[in-house]
Amino acid sequence: MPGKAQHFQGPQLLGAAFLAIGLWAWAEKGVLSNLSSITDLGGFDPVWLFLVVGGVMFVLGFTGCIGALRENTLLLKFFSVFLGLIFFLELTAGVLAFIFKDWIKDQLNFFINNNVKAYRDDIDLQNLIDFAQEYWSCCGAHGPNDWNLNIYFNCTDSNPSRERCGVPFSCCLKDPAEDVLNTQCGYDVRLKLELEQQSFIHTKGCAGQFEKWLQDNLVVVAGTFIGVALLQIFGICLAQNLVSDINAVKANW
């Protein structure tokens, strides 16, 4: 059934692209030549997101495509069950997130602070944190003082870093008149009084800003999750329909 097999090729190709991006990023960082460096990162490596999502999508697309081409009911059933399991886990995660939202909030704070500590350890993590702080106009999990957790930005007297008592440039308020990005705009800013800091940097925490963003974009977020769920249900129904068609053809032999 070559025509129906094309429905499974999209996830397979997209998954392969995600995997290629993840492996390329690891190669650029030298991880592939020294796999032990994976354990050196204290925070979250964004490359894992590409590898996990890409791997799952590639496996699903591959089993669905080959199952449809070869009319292999075992592969199609695997595709259907695996996709159904993912759908069930997503549904369960959504329900648990609603029930234990306070615990989720605490974990989000812990996650952000843990990555603040590892800010300089990985370039991809650094870019992700900078993007988040710029996009949500925030600084740290609860506020700028969270950057005391980082060895380069903490305010201890023993810290020899030039970034001591500062924050990353992504915390800074943007000056429309500046054409060139000032990466030193956060230097020594936490030595100022809190009211003075508000003239130079964002003082709201990223955890609160992210929660506010979710509330403001609830329709878009919910619509995205519903759209993904409908695609998964469509994939399950398509696989089950193919299995039924193949069994019906075999029964007439």
Side-chain angles (χ1 to χ4, degrees):
M1 299 181 181
K4 292 186 177 181
Q6 293 177 352
H7 294 288
F8 301 98
Q9 289 180 341
Q12 182 184 0
L13 295 175
L14 190 58
F18 271 66
L19 280 173
I21 292 172
L23 292 174
W24 171 78
W26 264 6
E28 287 293 306
K29 292 188 289 187
V31 174
L32 295 181
S33 59
N34 181 20
L35 293 178
S36 63
S37 60
I38 295 175
T39 60
D40 294 339
L41 180 63
F44 171 70
D45 188 349
V47 176
W48 277 108
L49 189 61
F50 284 92
L51 293 174
V52 172
V53 173
V56 170
M57 291 182 68
F58 181 80
V59 169
L60 280 174
F62 180 80
T63 54
C65 186
I66 298 300
L69 284 172
R70 305 298 297 178
E71 299 185 3
N72 189 312
T73 56
L74 182 62
L75 287 177
L76 289 172
K77 287 179 180 178
F78 172 81
F79 172 86
S80 180
V81 170
F82 195 13
L83 196 57
L85 179 62
I86 293 175
F87 177 75
F88 174 76
L89 291 175
E90 289 172 348
L91 187 63
T92 303
V95 173
L96 291 176
F98 179 77
I99 296 174
F100 300 104
K101 53 186 177 182
D102 292 334
W103 180 84
I104 295 293
K105 188 176 181 179
D106 291 339
Q107 292 303 307
L108 178 62
N109 291 333
F110 175 78
F111 176 79
I112 296 175
N113 283 334
N114 194 44
N115 286 294
V116 163
K117 294 178 185 178
Y119 176 74
R120 292 295 190 200
D121 296 347
D122 182 88
I123 187 62
D124 293 322
L125 174 63
Q126 183 175 315
N127 290 335
L128 180 63
I129 293 175
D130 286 333
F131 169 79
Q133 292 192 144
E134 288 178 339
Y135 185 80
W136 283 301
S137 301
C138 58
C139 191
H142 296 98
N145 286 332
D146 288 337
W147 283 99
N148 268 329
L149 297 171
N150 187 280
I151 60 173
Y152 298 99
F153 295 97
N154 71 62
C155 282
T156 56
D157 294 334
S158 59
N159 182 11
S161 172
R162 178 62 189 87
E163 295 175 310
R164 176 181 175 273
C165 280
V167 293
F169 69 90
S170 52
C171 287
C172 296
L173 297 173
K174 294 295 179 291
D175 185 354
E178 287 186 354
D179 294 328
V180 180
L181 180 66
N182 179 13
T183 57
Q184 299 180 359
C185 59
Y187 283 15
D188 302 323
V189 72
R190 287 190 294 113
L191 292 174
K192 305 177 186 295
L193 296 175
E194 187 172 343
L195 287 176
E196 289 184 85
Q197 292 179 19
Q198 295 177 5
S199 302
F200 298 94
I201 61 173
H202 301 292
T203 55
K204 293 182 179 179
C206 289
Q209 289 294 89
F210 177 68
E211 187 177 0
K212 181 179 179 296
W213 178 85
L214 283 178
Q215 293 173 351
D216 294 341
N217 297 273
L218 189 60
V219 175
V220 176
V221 174
T224 302
F225 278 105
I226 291 172
V228 171
L230 289 175
L231 286 174
Q232 291 174 327
I233 293 172
F234 172 75
I236 294 171
C237 293
L238 178 62
Q240 291 297 328
N241 184 50
L242 283 174
V243 171
S244 299
D245 290 345
I246 293 170
N247 288 334
V249 171
K250 289 181 177 179
N252 292 328
W253 287 354

